[in-house]
């Protein structure tokens, strides 16, 4: 386990003053408290990813003050992958000390999002474990215990400074262009001075004694060596005047008492390491290994935020993203296995993941790439699962009256290549069922098809419909269609594009789309079986034929000429 190694003793006592412990949190005590004159020292943590003295234990510790951000989800994923790859434990701890903003609703939403992603935790809320409770709001007695220990050892002292005094210190430091650190006014107060303030009932905090000289150095598993000078810190608060412990104190106590071996967290927590390392040493705890993951950035390289669109796991879930696609994409934000492969299952990620391959530079969140990757995962699903997923969606959105059957099976097989998200299937099916013939006939792109004697093809098509040949072919399915269209082409002496483009326009009302034969067979089946809801604005084959009969081809050709003239004038 990584430890703190001091170049000189941690705090060698030079002068000792005896104080009596008294605080509304702890009650009265006659225990003696000692503080010391601080000397220069250095702190460092060794680098290793294979602790010899115990099991790998990592934690994800979200604050339930909002939704689970994709950055938090990636941090959770990296912790999960590291634990599973090392045969260790993945612990979930809820950091809900911000009582005003923390809610159980937010906590429940986060737990649901983690479960949806497949990141099951070994210890934590709803699971339990030997190191609970797993909510900080339920661990206050533990924080008081260790705060009391620091009081007894003299590593903290009472600070009676008012908010006005602290603000004045900041202003003076700013004028002198110095760091806004606490000047240590109460660090060397006499017993009489302390007792006088206690007698008056003056509110006070507990401040940690930071050595005035020296440095702290860690070997971060991702960033390498990171160091800080202690003279930039100043004595910091570990307990507020209302008895509430501060974040860095809680985190240190929690990680130590939960036997966390590796702290894998976001880069923005890197500055907290300095305070936490000092608390670890003062309490006699061994330090864990630290690994600080880079931020997730927007395409403009700013920090990803709501102004860039969806940023929470819940939002992406509601948009129709698959959990396996989200996990795959989040893993690639700052990590790779060294190959060109981009597609991994969660199980494969566990097998491949190493902390050494996590990049320390920021990762760009590309929503287009995520959508594309989701499409790949969607189409990789077993056909039965894909059909069930989309079929139920079509029924729930009211496009179809049924969620399964031959029509749905064939429709999904035909349309799946154009679907990246399940909700995309609505548009794909609606396009198939629609018949925008008039718009296509009068469009600039449709001009060449109309001028290629489209009226003659339409007349032959209507004759085939009236004679029953077309309907008989469609009843026979795709093979029947292929046989009929080949015969139809011969009768018109057309083949290839000159045959299929007119037929596509007349039967589907479009110039582009999925396989035409499969599309027409499906349109016929939809009309026969009545599976499409009225609200879907489906145009049946019979209705399409009626529309074709009503076309005034002579007028249409005149309109095409008028359109061509207008285009020429505008150019």
């Amino acid at each position: 386990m990584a430890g703190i190694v001091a170049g000189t003793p941690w705090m060698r006592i030079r002068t000792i003053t005896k104080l009596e412990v008294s605080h509304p949190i702890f009650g009265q005590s006659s225990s003696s408290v000692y503080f010391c004159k601080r000397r220069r020292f250095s702190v460092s943590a060794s680098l290793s990813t294979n602790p010899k003295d115990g099991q790998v234990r990592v934690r994800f510790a979200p604050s339930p003050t909002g939704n689970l951000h994709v950055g938090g989800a990636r941090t959770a994923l990296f912790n999960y992958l590291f634990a599973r790859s090392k045969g260790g434990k993945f612990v979930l701890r809820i950091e809900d000390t911000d009582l005003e903003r923390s809610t159980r609703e937010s906590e429940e939403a986060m737990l649901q999002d983690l479960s949806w992603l497949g990141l099951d935790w070994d210890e934590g809320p709803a699971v339990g474990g030997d190191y609970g409770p797993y909510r900080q709001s339920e661990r206050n007695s533990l924080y008081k215990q260790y705060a009391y220990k620091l009081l007894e050892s003299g590593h903290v002292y009472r600070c009676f400074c008012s908010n006005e005094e602290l603000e004045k210190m900041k202003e003076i430091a700013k004028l002198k262009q110095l760091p806004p650190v606490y000047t240590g006014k109460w660090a060397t107060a006499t017993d009489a001075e302390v007792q006088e303030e206690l007698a008056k009932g003056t509110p006070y905090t507990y401040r940690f004694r930071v050595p005035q000289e020296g440095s702290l150095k860690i070997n971060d598993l991702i960033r390498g060596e990171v160091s800080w000078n202690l003279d930039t810190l100043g004595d910091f608060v570990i307990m507020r005047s209302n008895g509430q412990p501060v974040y860095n104190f809680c985190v240190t106590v929690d990680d130590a008492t939960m036997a966390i071996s590796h702290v894998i967290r976001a880069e923005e927590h890197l500055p907290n390491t300095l305070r936490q390392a000092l608390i670890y040493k003062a309490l006699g705890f061994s330090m864990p290994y630290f690994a600080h993951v880079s931020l997730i950035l927007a395409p403009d390289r700013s920090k990803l935020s709501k102004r860039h669109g969806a940023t929470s796991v819940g939002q992406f879930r509601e948009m129709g993203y698959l959990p396996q696609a989200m996990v795959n994409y989040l893993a690639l934000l700052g990590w790779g296995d060294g190959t060109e492969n981009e597609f991994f299952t969660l199980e494969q990620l566990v097998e491949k993941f190493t902390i050494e391959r996590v990049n320390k530079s920021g990762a760009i969140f590309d929503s287009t790439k995520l959508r594309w990757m989701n499409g790949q995962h969607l189409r990789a699903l077993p056909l039965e699962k894909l059909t069930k997923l989309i079929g139920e969606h079509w029924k729930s959105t009211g496009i179809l009256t049924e969620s399964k059957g031959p029509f749905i099976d064939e429709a999904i097989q035909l349309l799946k290549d154009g679907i990246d998200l399940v909700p995309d299937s609505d548009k794909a099916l609606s396009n198939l069922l629609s018949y925008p013939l008039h718009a296509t006939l009068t469009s600039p792109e449709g001009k060449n098809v109309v001028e290629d004697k489209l009226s003659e093809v339409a007349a032959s098509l209507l004759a085939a419909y009236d004679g029953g040949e077309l309907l008989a072919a469609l009843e026979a399915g795709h093979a029947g269609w292929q046989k009929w269209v080949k015969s139809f082409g011969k009768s018109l002496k057309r083949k290839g594009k000159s045959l299929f483009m007119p037929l596509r326009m007349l039967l589907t009302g479009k110039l582009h789309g999925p396989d035409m034969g499969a599309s027409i067979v499906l349109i016929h089946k939809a009309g026969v079986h009545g599976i499409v809801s009225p609200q879907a604005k489906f145009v049946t084959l019979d209705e399409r034929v009626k529309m074709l009969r009503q076309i005034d081809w002579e007028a249409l050709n005149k309109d095409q000429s008028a359109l061509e003239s207008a285009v020429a004038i505008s150019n």
Side-chain angles (χ1 to χ4, degrees), residues 188-264:
T188 56
T190 65
D191 183 44
E193 290 172 326
V194 172
Q195 292 299 329
E196 180 182 351
E197 296 301 321
L198 289 175
K200 291 191 293 186
T202 306
Y204 57 90
T205 59
Y206 281 106
R207 285 190 180 272
F208 189 93
R209 298 180 187 277
V210 178
Q212 295 170 340
E213 296 179 337
S215 63
L216 179 136
K217 178 177 68 176
I218 66 167
N219 285 310
D220 190 278
L221 301 182
I222 295 173
R223 300 179 178 281
E225 184 177 295
V226 184
S227 62
W228 298 267
N229 290 326
L230 296 178
D231 60 6
T232 63
L233 184 56
D235 295 351
F236 56 88
V237 174
I238 67 159
M239 193 77 73
R240 300 182 181 91
S241 59
N242 64 359
Q244 284 296 315
V246 301
Y247 171 80
N248 281 302
F249 181 58
C250 296
V251 167
T252 306
V253 171
D254 288 341
D255 286 343
T257 57
M258 289 182 175
I260 300 301
S261 64
H262 295 74
V263 174
I264 304 172

Side-chain angles (χ1 to χ4, degrees), residues 502-515:
L503 274 179
R504 179 181 287 278
M505 179 184 281
L506 295 170
L507 290 170
T508 71
K510 309 173 192 73
L511 293 171
H512 309 285
D515 181 81

Side-chain angles (χ1 to χ4, degrees), residues 260-450:
I260 300 301
S261 64
H262 295 74
V263 174
I264 304 172
R265 60 188 179 187
E267 158 183 31
E268 57 197 355
H269 288 289
L270 188 60
N272 292 327
T273 310
L274 175 55
R275 291 176 174 82
Q276 292 168 17
L278 294 172
I279 298 171
Y280 274 112
K281 179 61 180 176
L283 289 172
F285 295 136
S286 295
M287 277 216 298
Y289 308 107
F290 290 98
H292 289 89
V293 182
S294 65
L295 295 176
I296 294 181
L297 305 176
D300 61 3
R301 303 201 68 83
S302 63
K303 185 177 178 180
L304 187 66
S305 64
K306 293 179 180 178
R307 67 186 178 88
H308 298 108
T311 57
S312 72
V313 172
Q315 285 175 297
F316 285 106
R317 178 172 59 175
E318 290 172 2
M319 290 163 64
Y321 283 86
L322 298 174
Q324 53 266 49
M326 286 297 301
V327 164
N328 190 165
Y329 184 69
L330 290 175
L332 298 180
L333 291 177
W335 175 87
D337 70 343
T339 71
E340 295 297 317
N341 185 27
E342 290 188 299
F343 296 93
F344 301 92
T345 64
L346 186 57
E347 293 74 21
Q348 290 169 333
L349 288 169
V350 169
E351 181 183 342
K352 302 276 187 182
F353 185 83
T354 62
I355 201 72
E356 290 81 6
R357 292 206 63 85
V358 175
N359 198 316
K360 64 182 179 181
S361 59
I364 303 295
F365 191 90
D366 184 346
S367 56
T368 302
K369 177 74 175 286
L370 171 60
R371 170 182 267 274
W372 171 80
M373 181 166 283
N374 193 83
Q376 301 299 313
H377 278 277
L378 189 68
R379 288 182 282 278
L381 290 174
L383 187 58
E384 182 180 350
K385 187 173 183 179
L386 176 65
T387 302
K388 184 175 186 293
L389 193 65
I390 295 179
E392 290 179 351
H393 176 77
W394 278 338
K395 184 178 180 182
S396 69
T397 55
I399 295 179
L400 301 181
T401 58
E402 299 176 13
S403 62
K404 56 185 177 181
F407 172 82
I408 293 168
D409 294 343
E410 293 177 35
I412 291 171
Q413 189 66 39
L414 175 66
L415 302 173
K416 65 179 183 179
D417 288 344
I419 300 172
D420 287 332
L421 297 172
V422 170
D424 292 351
S425 63
D426 290 349
K427 183 177 180 180
L429 183 58
S430 294
N431 283 343
L432 176 71
L433 300 175
S434 68
Y435 189 59
L437 178 65
H438 180 73
T440 304
L441 286 172
T442 56
S443 68
E445 192 179 2
K447 175 178 178 294
N448 291 334
V449 181
V450 172

Side-chain angles (χ1 to χ4, degrees), residues 37-55:
K37 185 175 181 179
R38 295 166 289 194
R39 298 190 58 185
R40 178 181 178 84
F41 78 108
S42 63
V43 181
S44 65
S46 60
L47 171 65
S48 171
T49 57
N50 297 295
K52 298 178 181 179
D53 58 348
Q55 185 182 51

